[in-house]
Amino acid sequence: MINAPRGTQDLLPGVTEQWQYVEEKFKELCRTYNYHEVRTPIFEHTELFQRGVGDTTDIVQKEMYTFKDRGERSLTLRPEGTASVVRAFVQHKLFGQASQPTKLYYAGPMFRYERPQQGRMRQFVQFGVEALGSADPAIDAEVISLAMYVYQQLGLRSLKLVINSLGDNQSRTDHRNALIAHFAPHREELCQDCQLRLDQNPLRVLDCKKDKDHPAMATAPSILDYLNEESHSYFEQVKTYLDQMGIAYVVDKNLVRGLDYYNHTAFEIMSDAEGFGAITTLSGGGRYNGLVEDLGGPETPGIGFALSVERLLMALEAENINLPIDTSLDCYFIAMGEKAEQKAIELVYQMRKAGIQVDKDYQAKKFKAQFKAADRLKAKYVLVLGDNELAENIINVKNMENGEQESVEIDQVIPYIEQLLQRGQG
Ligand code: HAM
């Protein structure tokens, strides 16, 4: 037997409906916020992520699915969506369109070679948005509010929004120098990775899982102390807008995010729910002014976020939220007798063309067993056609909820069912 690869999963009927539901909800809310869907390839040139996500990040150094194609090109299964969306924005010159900022959303699988555990997969699905072309702190607040709203609309209550500012280039350089000076005396006590990070990208040290309890971590210089006037005031405005929308948050000066493109606003949303498990981050995002230029486009600010569906569904489960998914079937057609069976084929086809959900038996089951099947499929109505009924030109329609039965003329059955279904919905 061949199983699905480690860190991947099959979604079977019964579960897929939940995925469809949350995807529909996400898309609907994106439309409410006037974001439009973009679909980019599953694989890209490796260089895109090296340049976009950053050469020194764990994602690029340890987690990418990189391979050579038959033409010897180095390609990588996308580990995240932002680099691809920005590439598409540059490639198709979306910056030239009249309506700015360009507000995009996406939903699809991402791939990271991580150690799998609950909520951490090697193939996982992200929903995300990117707003390109505005450096207004109000759009930072918009993106954060959308992220929160998606969860709230699905019924989640135990949410914690954590925000920070990483400042602009100057603030970051000052902070970087302070970090190097702070950690240098402890260099030998840090893990191998962090010793390298200290030279290449000291901010990453703050994100280290191995060294997180080292005493120097708690006393490390905070970016918030190095924000220049402009960065400070930008962050204050983002917070003011969140306050105005009544969105609660906590500022965590150690929130640095695991990707290199960020500056100014960075945020994560966590689940506070009891029993949620070890990984509590549901989604993350932030501002990435400079990324569009790094990928060959004109100077364009940007901000976005991404959530994973795996963790979203875990959070729903932890809060005992059942999504309102309708798994019923409109009708089940039971035909008894050879002629009735033939007529059933035609009628079922016509009903489907009228948009009525209907199924029938294909295993020559007995009458009782067919009724059971209708029950299992949660059919609202069962239509019974025997050779006797056929001779009389009628069909018996049984309402499975209240047990009422009605005889309906065969050529009236479609409008009759349509009317019943409408009444049911109303
Ligand atoms: P990220 O923090 O790397 O950011 O990922 C965003 C979210 O994806 C995480 O908060 C988590 O819910 C989910 N995630 C990441 N790795 C896994 C995994 N192995 N299994 C399951 N879920 C996972 C980004 O990817 C940025 N592109 C977000 C962004 C968009 N920033 C600006 N725009």
Side-chain angles (χ1 to χ4, degrees), residues 14 23 38 72 118 239 341 406 415:
E23 181 164 343
V38 58
E72 291 296 300
Q118 210 200 5
K239 289 194 283 183
E341 181 68 41
E406 198 78 50

Side-chain angles (χ1 to χ4, degrees), residues 27 170 217 238:
K27 292 182 170 178
Q170 187 210 324
M217 285 290 191
V238 174

Side-chain angles (χ1 to χ4, degrees), residues 326 328-332 351-352 354-358 378-383 397-401 413-426:
D326 181 5
S328 66
L329 183 71
D330 293 340
C331 298
Y332 194 81
M351 288 171 77
R352 287 171 175 165
I356 299 167
Q357 305 165 344
V358 53
K378 299 201 197 101
K380 294 185 192 116
Y381 300 95
V382 172
L383 280 62
V397 178
K398 181 172 180 181
N399 180 327
M400 294 294 275
E401 205 178 310
V413 79
I414 290 179
Y416 178 79
I417 296 285
E418 279 175 329
Q419 205 196 359
L420 286 178
L421 290 171
Q422 248 160 26
R423 201 184 300 147
Q425 279 162 13

Side-chain angles (χ1 to χ4, degrees), residues 59 79-83 106 112 114 119-126 128-130 151 257-259 261-262 268-269 281-288 303-311:
I59 293 182
E80 60 105 50
T82 311
Y106 50 92
R112 295 184 194 178
E114 294 196 83
R120 182 177 294 143
M121 303 291 289
R122 289 184 173 166
Q123 174 174 334
F124 57 99
V125 173
Q126 275 190 352
V129 310
E130 312 293 346
Y151 292 125
R257 308 274 302 124
L259 302 92
Y261 44 63
Y262 292 114
E268 286 186 354
I269 299 171
T281 306
L282 298 177
S283 55
R287 183 160 277 287
Y288 46 82
I303 178 160
F305 88 96
L307 65 84
S308 85
V309 180
E310 286 78 2
R311 293 186 195 178

Side-chain angles (χ1 to χ4, degrees), residues 265-279:
T265 316
F267 70 97
E268 286 186 354
I269 299 171
M270 327 276 193
S271 171
D272 260 353
E274 229 175 273
F276 182 68
I279 300 176

Side-chain angles (χ1 to χ4, degrees), residues 153-222:
Q153 282 290 297
L154 290 167
L156 290 177
R157 290 289 166 265
S158 302
L159 299 168
K160 185 171 141 194
L161 168 64
V162 181
I163 60 171
N164 192 22
S165 171
L166 303 176
D168 62 9
N169 278 344
Q170 187 210 324
S171 313
R172 285 160 60 105
T173 307
D174 294 348
H175 181 229
R176 182 193 153 95
N177 292 337
L179 281 174
I180 294 172
H182 175 79
F183 282 111
H186 307 286
R187 175 182 275 276
E188 304 305 318
E189 299 148 28
L190 299 175
C191 75
Q192 287 286 314
D193 279 347
C194 277
Q195 298 193 12
L196 210 68
R197 287 173 182 137
L198 208 48
D199 300 324
Q200 295 179 339
N201 192 350
L203 200 63
R204 288 271 79 79
V205 174
L206 298 179
D207 211 18
C208 179
K209 287 163 198 129
K210 283 193 203 135
D211 289 329
K212 67 179 189 320
D213 296 325
H214 190 286
M217 285 290 191
T219 54
S222 155

